[in-house]
Amino acid sequence: MTLQDTEAAIRLASDLIAESDHLVALVGAGLSAESGIPTFRGAGGLWSKVGEPSMNGYEQFLADPAGWWENQLDPAADPARTEFREAIDSAEPNPAHHALAELERMGVLKATITQNVDDLHNRAGSKRLIEIHGNRTKVRCIGCEGRWSRDEFSYDALPPICPKCGELLKGDTVMFGEPIPPSVIDACYREATLCDCIMVCGTSATVYPAAGFPQIVTSGGGIVIEVNPNPTPLSRIAVVTLRGAAGALLPKLVERLRG
Ligand code: APR
């Protein structure tokens, strides 16, 4: 894509966003790539290196919650996971996170649905944020969906128990095979149904239900804008594609929309 093409795509994308009534951003690991956090798939991806986790992680947690917590709290238990966590711990929000928070402050972006668990959107100031795969700085009750910061608990006695309802606490990050908490998935579908323009940034659009939200938008007559250096299954339904890094492109959108 030439520079002229990119500039034209940014003009078109910002015009479409300006005309939209309910813009929603759907975000994936690519948004945090420029913060130094590895993506999952593609070159250098975490799963590309170590393989996708087993689909029965949640089942294993339910079968032995204390053993699951012991494993979670032991950095040596999973070096790749520890490396990923260290990348998150040393990461800062990048211009893409700040651009989404600014679009929200401008009243242009109505909600951000993120698949990322790295807390960088919160740190960049996003408020209307739905963390569909959870947030790794938190623990969650599998009964009442209560959430607390991880460091509000001591982990001497395992597994930690919900102070509100007595059910099990686990990391807030949604595991493979774990149902997405009902309040979270309801909020996502509500936004997808209201949305007339979904900007899909930095996701390979391969994991459901998140990857299905753009289809809900288009079936309601809405449009898809894609921000990704690489093609994805959504590229063919996007009315405009910004083929590049979100950290470079999203601030340009903000600039144009500021007028
Ligand atoms: N800007 C925008 N997009 C980027 C950038 C960047 N700087 N760098 C990489 N990308 C794109 C890649 O081209 C790829 O399409 O980000 C996408 C990352 O895809 P994945 O690694 O599959 O991450 P994601 O789509 O978020 O995965 C979804 O899978 O394993 C689960 O829970 C995990 O939330 C994750 C889900």
Side-chain angles (χ1 to χ4, degrees):
M1 198 178 218
T2 66
L3 183 62
Q4 290 75 5
D5 296 345
T6 304
E7 292 302 331
I10 289 168
R11 273 198 304 279
L12 175 56
S14 52
D15 292 349
L16 291 168
I17 288 171
E19 287 158 20
S20 71
D21 294 322
H22 200 96
L23 173 72
V24 172
L26 174 63
V27 170
L31 210 90
S32 297
E34 292 160 89
S35 297
I37 299 174
T39 58
F40 295 99
R41 299 168 185 84
L46 185 61
W47 303 155
S48 312
K49 270 195 317 201
V50 301
E52 299 237 351
S54 66
M55 286 307 284
N56 66 350
Y58 189 54
E59 222 177 284
Q60 289 168 355
F61 163 73
L62 294 175
D64 177 13
W68 182 85
W69 271 103
E70 273 153 29
N71 177 285
Q72 286 291 312
L73 295 170
D74 174 7
D78 183 338
R81 179 182 67 194
T82 301
E83 188 190 329
F84 183 64
R85 287 178 175 172
E86 284 165 356
I88 291 184
D89 291 345
S90 55
E92 294 296 330
N94 69 55
H97 297 101
H98 290 296
L100 291 180
E102 179 61 14
L103 286 176
E104 188 184 298
R105 282 189 291 269
M106 290 162 65
V108 171
L109 179 62
K110 305 301 184 202
T112 296
I113 300 174
T114 188
Q115 300 171 89
N116 301 342
V117 299
D118 54 35
D119 201 41
L120 293 182
H121 293 288
N122 289 305
R123 291 173 55 197
S126 288
K127 302 287 178 227
R128 300 187 59 171
L129 181 65
I130 305 171
E131 296 174 298
I132 186 172
H133 292 163
N135 181 316
R136 70 168 297 277
T137 68
K138 294 182 182 159
V139 292
R140 168 171 40 91
C141 172
I142 65 170
C144 67
E145 281 195 55
R147 280 178 185 76
W148 292 268
S149 165
R150 273 176 182 265
D151 51 26
E152 287 184 57
F153 288 84
S154 84
Y155 297 96
D156 304 335
L158 296 176
I161 299 298
C162 176
K164 271 172 45 183
C165 77
E167 247 297 358
L168 289 170
L169 290 182
K170 66 175 287 287
D172 185 35
T173 300
V174 175
M175 302 162 72
F176 279 85
E178 178 181 2
I180 291 172
S183 66
V184 174
I185 197 66
D186 290 350
C188 290
Y189 282 119
R190 199 167 38 250
E191 287 301 331
T193 309
L194 288 169
C195 174
D196 62 345
C197 179
I198 188 162
M199 185 164 63
V200 185
C201 310
T203 182
S204 59
T206 48
V207 172
Y208 286 78
F213 298 150
Q215 276 78 359
I216 295 175
V217 174
T218 53
S219 61
I223 59 168
V224 176
I225 294 173
E226 182 172 59
V227 183
N228 195 320
N230 302 305
T232 74
L234 292 177
S235 301
R236 60 182 176 72
I237 62 168
V239 292
V240 57
T241 295
L242 303 184
R243 232 350 130 235
L249 293 167
L250 292 185
K252 288 182 184 292
L253 276 183
V254 171
E255 227 173 280
R256 272 192 64 83
L257 285 159
R258 262 210 204 99

